[in-house]
Amino acid sequence: MSEEAKNKSIDQASIEMLEKAAQENVRTVFDRAEKMKPCPIGGEGSCCSICAMGPCRVPLAKGKDETPEEHARRTGVCGATVETIAARNFVRKIAAGTASHSDHGRRVVETFKLMAEGKIKDFEVKDEQKLLKLALDLGVDVGDRSNNEIALDIAIICENEFGRQEGELVFIKSAPLKRQEIWRKLGVVPRGIDREVVELMHRTHMGVDQDYKSLMFQGTRAALADGWGGSMIATEIQDVMFGTPTPTLSEINLGVLKEDMVNIIIHGHEPALAEMLAVLSQDPELIKYAKSKGAKGLNLAGMCCTANEVMMRHGVPIAGNFLQQELAIITGAVDAMVVDVQCIMQGLQEVARCFHTKLITTDDRAHITGSTFMLFDELNAKESAKAIIKAGIDNYPNRGDNVRIPQIKTPLIAGFSHETINYLLGGLFRASYRPLNDNIINGRIRGVAGVVGCNNARTTHDSAHTLMIKELIKNDVLVLSTGCAAMAAGKAGLMLPEAAKEFCGPGLAEVCEAVGIPPVLHMGACIDNSRILIAATAMVKDGGLGDDISDLPAAGAAPEWMSEKAIAIGQYFVASGVYTVFGTNWPTLGSKEFTSHLFNDMEEMYGGKWAFEPDPIKAAHLMIEHIDKKRSALGIDKARERVLYDMEMRREIEAV
Ligand code: BF8
């Protein structure tokens, strides 16, 4: 194995495919990243390209302290300061991230509404209990109405959240009361999801909002419209329509591809098509069709967040995370890569051209030049998904013999929705977070960390995730994970109950063994970071750990972040009171003042703040320090056991 390949990824399956790519002269994201160094000026947020007088470059001079005069001269042609430029760039990322998650949520609601109206026959309410709970939360009359009647009212309420012009988003009320008051006091409660994104884009147009603090207020309002709006709506409605995840055993890594079967990968984010593919991959007629083409059967695997969705609900195996999308095609065994929206590299088409793989785009919002477009029509879900599968099967005879599938895959248990954790900890009749809170209070569990986010070709694939998570669980911190971070943990074998004994500190190991859970809980796709918000709120409500999310011994991280969605997520976590550490690089370092606003002022305002630490072990220790600080503020920094007093002990107390 070459040293070069080892620096690119810690994942053996990926390393094998990188070597195959090198032998066959196929260029991947790893090669392109090596060839093109990141722009240092854009990288620190010091490039402004919002008008045609620029782009203006206002970089921070390296290696010496800046005098006030030098700082004052660092402006764009219009006079925009570095603070304004860095803040504008930062909040525009929030706008794009919020728009992406929320447009996903909107599409899910549209499908749900069509289902409720009886116009879509191929989907139905799968989780009736969650439907009723949602109805209760949203004030929808239940009575003896049918599921579809209730669903229609819920769909209309959720749909209105996007276009709402005033008032407050309804899901804001899911947050702890104290948190809601903080937001109201600061004026950052979102009015409507679309409105906050549009206003943010307006404010960052040339010559509008030119005060970094003011820009961040609106940035925060948009981010909250993501976490407690678009993302939360997507998760809730998906659970109702496709089922709330429960613990499921599955497998992860490129080794889930099968040499003698038709391999279809579903890649992207929105689960409607993936759901249909998961059902149809068991269809006897399609399996027979695959056999008629010489294959032994049909094998569906996932990639990126859509993989998390169908693995959590159906146990569909995962082929890999973000940086493995091209590598899957390089196996030579992928007959169709079916994509919808978000995190789909355009480089896929170029790689697919070197093999027989058919790259199929399916969403009217996301086309890729050179690929095959086959619209997934929700109104005709089964038939359009069937056509897509058939296109993959028809491509199987073109596979040829340049096939090498790394024989590497890892079992994992996923499916830890908030409801499932509640049930696992508390049992069917008294589902609660009490045992978790108690174990945090008695010190067996030191705290809770959310480790989420992407892969990034600027850092060794999966390395930061794995090192950080191992360090956290070694120090008795329970990890909740989503997105590509969760997949890295799964590949490293950390999502099995057995991992507790091998990798955890004694306290966490004991709890995991007693409850039978892994020390790293897979909570779903990036959209499902909203599950972490709900879990944190449930911990607050259960008592004993303060009265707000910011009181919890908890922290968040995205050590290999890459996308604008990650910035939106980070900001809604910070604004929800969570200390949040990002790795790889930080996009505002060109402005010390704005960076300090994010890294310091935020804590006074929201109780949570940002931090940047590219070293994953150091970052883990920043999180642990924060957790310890919160433990001490709660007065639970000394390990305490709940003691049941017998008569003799009582008498002793009385005697004293
Ligand atoms: O939403 S973790 S690389 S796949 S952005 Fe993308 Fe990042 Fe992966 Fe999912 Ni999230």
Side-chain angles (χ1 to χ4, degrees):
M1 177 199 314
S2 69
E3 274 309 306
E4 205 187 327
K6 271 202 286 186
N7 289 337
K8 290 175 179 167
S9 178
I10 59 158
D11 170 46
Q12 288 308 315
S14 300
I15 291 172
E16 256 190 60
M17 284 307 98
L18 282 169
E19 287 175 341
K20 184 170 186 285
Q23 283 155 15
E24 296 173 16
N25 239 340
V26 180
R27 264 164 44 94
T28 67
V29 57
F30 295 91
D31 305 304
R32 293 188 294 271
E34 211 166 64
K35 201 145 182 238
M36 185 191 287
K37 295 294 164 215
C39 165
I41 301 172
E44 62 169 45
S46 297
C47 174
C48 182
S49 63
I50 66 165
C51 88
M53 294 194 286
C56 298
R57 289 156 300 157
V58 290
L60 182 65
K62 297 273 151 26
K64 67 179 185 76
D65 283 341
E66 190 176 41
T67 66
E69 294 71 34
E70 283 167 335
H71 184 77
R73 278 199 299 274
R74 271 207 298 140
T75 68
V77 171
C78 70
T81 63
V82 286
E83 282 66 48
T84 298
I85 291 172
R88 270 203 294 233
N89 288 331
F90 189 75
V91 298
R92 277 199 167 199
K93 290 188 202 305
I94 295 178
T98 301
S100 306
H101 284 143
S102 302
D103 207 40
H104 167 163
R106 184 202 324 273
R107 184 60 66 92
V108 171
V109 171
E110 281 170 353
T111 307
F112 186 62
K113 191 176 173 201
L114 289 166
M115 175 216 74
E117 289 169 340
K119 292 178 185 155
I120 290 182
K121 299 276 180 242
D122 298 330
F123 296 124
E124 60 184 6
V125 169
K126 280 265 177 63
D127 187 340
E128 194 179 22
Q129 223 180 333
K130 187 145 184 176
L131 176 87
L132 299 178
K133 158 94 176 46
L134 203 52
L136 203 71
D137 291 348
L138 298 176
V140 169
D141 185 25
V142 172
D144 54 2
R145 301 168 81 206
S146 72
N147 280 353
N148 274 359
E149 283 170 325
I150 298 167
L152 184 57
D153 281 2
I154 291 176
I156 292 167
I157 291 174
C158 290
E159 194 177 50
N160 288 339
E161 292 296 272
F162 294 92
R164 182 201 271 276
Q165 298 303 317
E166 54 193 28
E168 296 184 348
L169 289 186
V170 288
F171 284 95
I172 289 297
K173 296 204 170 52
S174 319
L177 286 175
K178 190 170 167 192
R179 182 63 19 197
Q180 294 179 39
E181 285 317 311
I182 291 171
W183 292 334
R184 285 190 189 108
K185 214 171 99 205
L186 291 168
V188 294
V189 178
R191 296 155 292 186
I193 298 164
D194 294 353
R195 176 163 193 178
E196 305 314 346
V197 175
V198 169
E199 185 170 319
L200 197 48
M201 293 308 286
H202 175 200
R203 286 198 198 205
T204 54
H205 183 274
M206 194 273 151
V208 187
D209 200 352
Q210 292 158 89
D211 176 89
Y212 69 86
K213 290 182 183 164
S214 169
L215 282 162
M216 264 319 288
F217 276 120
Q218 182 58 22
T220 301
R221 187 142 64 161
L224 290 172
D226 177 352
W228 297 87
S231 280
M232 198 167 278
I233 289 172
T235 298
E236 297 292 283
I237 301 296
Q238 286 171 185
D239 280 356
V240 171
M241 194 162 42
F242 306 133
T244 303
T246 51
T248 310
L249 177 66
S250 189
E251 292 178 321
I252 184 164
N253 217 336
L254 295 170
V256 305
L257 298 173
K258 304 241 165 66
E259 187 135 11
D260 48 8
M261 290 178 124
V262 173
N263 290 305
I264 295 180
I265 289 187
I266 173 73
H267 169 24
H269 283 77
E270 292 184 7
L273 168 60
E275 278 290 316
M276 212 25 90
L277 293 181
V279 173
L280 288 173
S281 64
Q282 311 295 323
D283 183 89
E285 193 195 310
L286 285 170
I287 294 171
K288 200 169 146 203
Y289 187 58
K291 287 183 177 166
S292 76
K293 300 284 176 183
K296 285 214 172 119
L298 195 50
N299 182 38
L300 179 70
M303 176 75 58
C304 283
C305 279
T306 218
N308 287 328
E309 301 274 9
V310 277
M311 194 259 288
M312 297 269 288
R313 296 195 178 92
H314 299 279
V316 170
I318 298 183
N321 52 4
F322 177 68
L323 283 180
Q324 290 180 287
Q325 53 188 282
E326 293 166 319
L327 306 182
I329 295 181
I330 291 167
T331 62
V334 177
D335 303 298
M337 182 167 280
V338 181
V339 302
D340 55 26
V341 291
Q342 300 170 21
C343 304
I344 299 146
M345 291 190 217
Q346 190 166 356
L348 273 185
Q349 178 53 29
E350 190 49 33
V351 177
R353 237 169 37 86
C354 304
F355 297 86
H356 80 299
T357 306
K358 207 177 184 103
L359 179 64
I360 304 176
T361 52
T362 61
D363 192 294
D364 49 6
R365 294 163 296 179
H367 294 265
I368 298 177
T369 310
S371 65
T372 304
F373 179 65
M374 296 179 77
L375 180 71
F376 171 62
D377 174 12
E378 276 97 344
L379 287 169
N380 203 4
K382 200 174 258 171
E383 284 313 309
S384 55
K386 227 180 218 177
I388 291 167
I389 293 187
K390 278 192 168 168
I393 297 175
D394 287 337
N395 197 28
Y396 176 77
N398 301 325
R399 200 186 271 186
D401 52 12
N402 182 14
V403 174
R404 189 170 125 206
I405 301 172
Q407 294 309 304
I408 296 170
K409 57 183 178 181
T410 313
L412 79 166
I413 295 178
F416 293 93
S417 55
H418 144 71
E419 291 82 352
T420 296
I421 297 177
N422 213 10
Y423 161 68
L424 282 176
L425 291 170
L428 185 58
F429 297 108
R430 49 186 174 87
S432 88
Y433 277 70
R434 196 67 251 153
L436 176 62
N437 285 19
D438 281 346
N439 277 301
I440 291 175
I441 292 165
N442 69 28
R444 280 197 188 89
I445 296 178
R446 192 169 189 161
V448 178
V451 181
V452 307
C454 324
N455 294 137
N456 187 320
R458 301 292 174 198
T459 184
T460 306
H461 171 224
D462 286 351
S463 160
H465 289 310
T466 315
L467 286 169
M468 173 182 277
I469 293 174
K470 282 186 179 167
E471 193 63 20
L472 288 167
I473 59 178
K474 189 174 97 187
N475 284 282
D476 292 317
V477 176
L478 177 71
V479 173
L480 311 178
S481 193
T482 60
C484 291
M487 300 191 206
K491 283 185 274 178
L494 302 173
M495 288 182 163
L496 292 168
E498 303 85 278
K501 204 171 186 174
E502 190 178 347
F503 297 105
C504 296
L508 179 60
E510 195 185 330
V511 176
C512 288
E513 278 165 18
V515 184
I517 52 169
V520 185
L521 303 181
H522 193 323
M523 294 189 81
C526 276
I527 209 97
D528 297 324
N529 283 317
S530 55
R531 295 191 202 278
I532 300 182
L533 296 177
I534 297 290
T537 304
M539 286 169 71
V540 171
K541 288 185 179 161
D542 226 289
L545 294 173
D547 53 5
D548 180 41
I549 296 174
S550 65
D551 296 330
L552 296 173
E560 299 180 32
W561 78 280
M562 163 285 301
S563 81
E564 291 165 313
K565 289 181 287 174
I567 293 290
I569 294 168
Q571 184 58 33
Y572 73 62
F573 268 101
V574 166
S576 300
V578 181
Y579 175 66
T580 304
V581 191
F582 270 36
T584 309
N585 51 40
W586 184 253
T588 70
L589 294 177
S591 166
K592 287 185 181 167
E593 205 171 320
F594 180 57
T595 303
S596 166
H597 184 56
L598 300 174
F599 289 12
N600 300 306
D601 303 352
M602 287 281 141
E603 191 168 36
E604 278 162 43
M605 299 161 76
Y606 299 103
K609 64 176 177 178
W610 288 95
F612 167 55
E613 175 50 68
D615 179 324
I617 301 288
K618 284 189 191 156
H621 282 280
L622 288 176
M623 295 161 83
I624 293 167
E625 263 170 43
H626 176 82
I627 284 169
D628 287 349
K629 191 173 92 183
K630 294 293 171 182
R631 291 187 67 83
S632 136
L634 288 165
I636 55 168
D637 44 340
K638 314 257 176 324
R640 264 193 293 154
E641 287 293 343
R642 236 191 211 183
V643 182
L644 284 176
Y645 284 74
D646 59 18
M647 277 318 285
E648 201 174 324
M649 288 160 89
R650 281 178 202 280
R651 265 187 230 113
E652 261 177 43
I653 295 174
E654 276 155 26
V656 174

mmCIF file of all heavy atoms in Angstrom, residues 577-597:
data_model
loop_
_atom_site.group_PDB
_atom_site.id
_atom_site.type_symbol
_atom_site.label_atom_id
_atom_site.label_comp_id
_atom_site.label_asym_id
_atom_site.label_seq_id
_atom_site.Cartn_x
_atom_site.Cartn_y
_atom_site.Cartn_z
ATOM 1 N N GLY A 577 -27.441 26.831 22.309
ATOM 2 C CA GLY A 577 -26.713 26.740 23.576
ATOM 3 C C GLY A 577 -25.604 25.707 23.608
ATOM 4 O O GLY A 577 -25.133 25.335 24.684
ATOM 5 N N VAL A 578 -25.152 25.247 22.428
ATOM 6 C CA VAL A 578 -24.167 24.166 22.402
ATOM 7 C C VAL A 578 -22.782 24.691 21.992
ATOM 8 O O VAL A 578 -22.657 25.442 21.024
ATOM 9 C CB VAL A 578 -24.605 23.053 21.414
ATOM 10 C CG1 VAL A 578 -23.589 21.909 21.389
ATOM 11 C CG2 VAL A 578 -25.989 22.524 21.788
ATOM 12 N N TYR A 579 -21.780 24.274 22.744
ATOM 13 C CA TYR A 579 -20.382 24.565 22.383
ATOM 14 C C TYR A 579 -20.027 23.680 21.185
ATOM 15 O O TYR A 579 -20.150 22.458 21.252
ATOM 16 C CB TYR A 579 -19.500 24.236 23.592
ATOM 17 C CG TYR A 579 -18.014 24.354 23.354
ATOM 18 C CD1 TYR A 579 -17.431 25.592 23.095
ATOM 19 C CD2 TYR A 579 -17.180 23.241 23.421
ATOM 20 C CE1 TYR A 579 -16.065 25.707 22.901
ATOM 21 C CE2 TYR A 579 -15.814 23.351 23.228
ATOM 22 C CZ TYR A 579 -15.268 24.587 22.967
ATOM 23 O OH TYR A 579 -13.924 24.705 22.767
ATOM 24 N N THR A 580 -19.587 24.295 20.083
ATOM 25 C CA THR A 580 -19.466 23.564 18.825
ATOM 26 C C THR A 580 -18.084 23.769 18.206
ATOM 27 O O THR A 580 -17.693 24.907 17.912
ATOM 28 C CB THR A 580 -20.568 24.065 17.850
ATOM 29 O OG1 THR A 580 -21.844 23.893 18.494
ATOM 30 C CG2 THR A 580 -20.554 23.298 16.548
ATOM 31 N N VAL A 581 -17.351 22.678 18.025
ATOM 32 C CA VAL A 581 -15.969 22.763 17.522
ATOM 33 C C VAL A 581 -15.905 22.236 16.090
ATOM 34 O O VAL A 581 -16.326 21.109 15.827
ATOM 35 C CB VAL A 581 -15.015 21.900 18.385
ATOM 36 C CG1 VAL A 581 -13.563 22.208 18.030
ATOM 37 C CG2 VAL A 581 -15.251 22.129 19.860
ATOM 38 N N PHE A 582 -15.359 23.029 15.192
ATOM 39 C CA PHE A 582 -15.161 22.582 13.813
ATOM 40 C C PHE A 582 -13.679 22.346 13.549
ATOM 41 O O PHE A 582 -12.820 22.999 14.141
ATOM 42 C CB PHE A 582 -15.704 23.638 12.827
ATOM 43 C CG PHE A 582 -17.167 23.418 12.463
ATOM 44 C CD1 PHE A 582 -18.072 22.945 13.391
ATOM 45 C CD2 PHE A 582 -17.621 23.687 11.176
ATOM 46 C CE1 PHE A 582 -19.413 22.735 13.060
ATOM 47 C CE2 PHE A 582 -18.954 23.490 10.829
ATOM 48 C CZ PHE A 582 -19.859 23.009 11.769
ATOM 49 N N GLY A 583 -13.396 21.417 12.651
ATOM 50 C CA GLY A 583 -12.013 21.137 12.293
ATOM 51 C C GLY A 583 -11.705 21.591 10.877
ATOM 52 O O GLY A 583 -12.427 22.413 10.309
ATOM 53 N N THR A 584 -10.656 21.037 10.304
ATOM 54 C CA THR A 584 -10.211 21.269 8.925
ATOM 55 C C THR A 584 -9.761 22.706 8.674
ATOM 56 O O THR A 584 -8.574 22.990 8.599
ATOM 57 C CB THR A 584 -11.307 20.884 7.900
ATOM 58 O OG1 THR A 584 -11.739 19.576 8.206
ATOM 59 C CG2 THR A 584 -10.754 20.889 6.477
ATOM 60 N N ASN A 585 -10.690 23.631 8.472
ATOM 61 C CA ASN A 585 -10.320 25.040 8.317
ATOM 62 C C ASN A 585 -11.473 25.891 8.836
ATOM 63 O O ASN A 585 -12.557 25.369 9.093
ATOM 64 C CB ASN A 585 -9.998 25.365 6.856
ATOM 65 C CG ASN A 585 -11.098 24.900 5.927
ATOM 66 O OD1 ASN A 585 -12.281 25.015 6.232
ATOM 67 N ND2 ASN A 585 -10.723 24.350 4.783
ATOM 68 N N TRP A 586 -11.194 27.168 8.970
ATOM 69 C CA TRP A 586 -12.248 28.035 9.511
ATOM 70 C C TRP A 586 -12.407 29.264 8.605
ATOM 71 O O TRP A 586 -11.430 29.967 8.331
ATOM 72 C CB TRP A 586 -11.944 28.449 10.960
ATOM 73 C CG TRP A 586 -13.087 29.240 11.491
ATOM 74 C CD1 TRP A 586 -13.140 30.571 11.720
ATOM 75 C CD2 TRP A 586 -14.404 28.727 11.770
ATOM 76 N NE1 TRP A 586 -14.400 30.931 12.142
ATOM 77 C CE2 TRP A 586 -15.196 29.819 12.167
ATOM 78 C CE3 TRP A 586 -14.992 27.463 11.706
ATOM 79 C CZ2 TRP A 586 -16.539 29.688 12.510
ATOM 80 C CZ3 TRP A 586 -16.328 27.329 12.042
ATOM 81 C CH2 TRP A 586 -17.085 28.429 12.450
ATOM 82 N N PRO A 587 -13.621 29.539 8.125
ATOM 83 C CA PRO A 587 -13.768 30.494 7.029
ATOM 84 C C PRO A 587 -13.854 31.977 7.396
ATOM 85 O O PRO A 587 -14.266 32.776 6.558
ATOM 86 C CB PRO A 587 -15.092 30.035 6.388
ATOM 87 C CG PRO A 587 -15.877 29.484 7.528
ATOM 88 C CD PRO A 587 -14.891 28.889 8.480
ATOM 89 N N THR A 588 -13.473 32.366 8.631
ATOM 90 C CA THR A 588 -13.568 33.808 8.960
ATOM 91 C C THR A 588 -12.256 34.349 9.532
ATOM 92 O O THR A 588 -12.237 35.455 10.079
ATOM 93 C CB THR A 588 -14.684 34.077 10.005
ATOM 94 O OG1 THR A 588 -14.272 33.545 11.272
ATOM 95 C CG2 THR A 588 -16.022 33.469 9.612
ATOM 96 N N LEU A 589 -11.175 33.581 9.420
ATOM 97 C CA LEU A 589 -9.958 33.973 10.133
ATOM 98 C C LEU A 589 -9.362 35.288 9.624
ATOM 99 O O LEU A 589 -8.499 35.882 10.272
ATOM 100 C CB LEU A 589 -8.918 32.842 10.069
ATOM 101 C CG LEU A 589 -9.327 31.557 10.822
ATOM 102 C CD1 LEU A 589 -8.282 30.459 10.643
ATOM 103 C CD2 LEU A 589 -9.549 31.818 12.311
ATOM 104 N N GLY A 590 -9.824 35.768 8.467
ATOM 105 C CA GLY A 590 -9.345 37.056 7.948
ATOM 106 C C GLY A 590 -9.790 38.229 8.808
ATOM 107 O O GLY A 590 -9.200 39.305 8.754
ATOM 108 N N SER A 591 -10.830 38.018 9.614
ATOM 109 C CA SER A 591 -11.280 39.091 10.506
ATOM 110 C C SER A 591 -11.226 38.609 11.948
ATOM 111 O O SER A 591 -12.022 37.767 12.371
ATOM 112 C CB SER A 591 -12.715 39.514 10.175
ATOM 113 O OG SER A 591 -13.207 40.298 11.245
ATOM 114 N N LYS A 592 -10.268 39.191 12.696
ATOM 115 C CA LYS A 592 -10.132 38.770 14.097
ATOM 116 C C LYS A 592 -11.376 39.158 14.895
ATOM 117 O O LYS A 592 -11.823 38.424 15.767
ATOM 118 C CB LYS A 592 -8.898 39.422 14.714
ATOM 119 C CG LYS A 592 -7.611 38.809 14.188
ATOM 120 C CD LYS A 592 -6.406 39.370 14.899
ATOM 121 C CE LYS A 592 -5.145 38.737 14.305
ATOM 122 N NZ LYS A 592 -3.932 39.428 14.704
ATOM 123 N N GLU A 593 -11.909 40.339 14.576
ATOM 124 C CA GLU A 593 -13.046 40.834 15.351
ATOM 125 C C GLU A 593 -14.302 39.974 15.128
ATOM 126 O O GLU A 593 -14.985 39.595 16.087
ATOM 127 C CB GLU A 593 -13.326 42.274 14.924
ATOM 128 C CG GLU A 593 -14.009 43.079 15.987
ATOM 129 C CD GLU A 593 -14.063 44.556 15.595
ATOM 130 O OE1 GLU A 593 -13.072 45.081 15.040
ATOM 131 O OE2 GLU A 593 -15.121 45.163 15.827
ATOM 132 N N PHE A 594 -14.571 39.659 13.878
ATOM 133 C CA PHE A 594 -15.758 38.839 13.608
ATOM 134 C C PHE A 594 -15.565 37.423 14.166
ATOM 135 O O PHE A 594 -16.482 36.830 14.734
ATOM 136 C CB PHE A 594 -16.071 38.810 12.107
ATOM 137 C CG PHE A 594 -17.283 37.973 11.782
ATOM 138 C CD1 PHE A 594 -18.515 38.248 12.365
ATOM 139 C CD2 PHE A 594 -17.187 36.873 10.929
ATOM 140 C CE1 PHE A 594 -19.634 37.461 12.100
ATOM 141 C CE2 PHE A 594 -18.297 36.081 10.654
ATOM 142 C CZ PHE A 594 -19.522 36.374 11.247
ATOM 143 N N THR A 595 -14.339 36.896 14.012
ATOM 144 C CA THR A 595 -14.068 35.555 14.543
ATOM 145 C C THR A 595 -14.277 35.551 16.059
ATOM 146 O O THR A 595 -14.867 34.619 16.613
ATOM 147 C CB THR A 595 -12.635 35.122 14.176
ATOM 148 O OG1 THR A 595 -12.512 35.180 12.755
ATOM 149 C CG2 THR A 595 -12.333 33.699 14.629
ATOM 150 N N SER A 596 -13.827 36.620 16.712
ATOM 151 C CA SER A 596 -14.008 36.681 18.160
ATOM 152 C C SER A 596 -15.499 36.785 18.517
ATOM 153 O O SER A 596 -15.934 36.253 19.549
ATOM 154 C CB SER A 596 -13.217 37.870 18.710
ATOM 155 O OG SER A 596 -13.617 38.145 20.003
ATOM 156 N N HIS A 597 -16.260 37.424 17.661
ATOM 157 C CA HIS A 597 -17.712 37.484 17.886
ATOM 158 C C HIS A 597 -18.286 36.059 17.934
ATOM 159 O O HIS A 597 -19.091 35.722 18.799
ATOM 160 C CB HIS A 597 -18.348 38.293 16.746
ATOM 161 C CG HIS A 597 -19.827 38.512 16.891
ATOM 162 N ND1 HIS A 597 -20.402 39.091 17.997
ATOM 163 C CD2 HIS A 597 -20.860 38.225 16.051
ATOM 164 C CE1 HIS A 597 -21.706 39.150 17.850
ATOM 165 N NE2 HIS A 597 -22.023 38.618 16.677
#
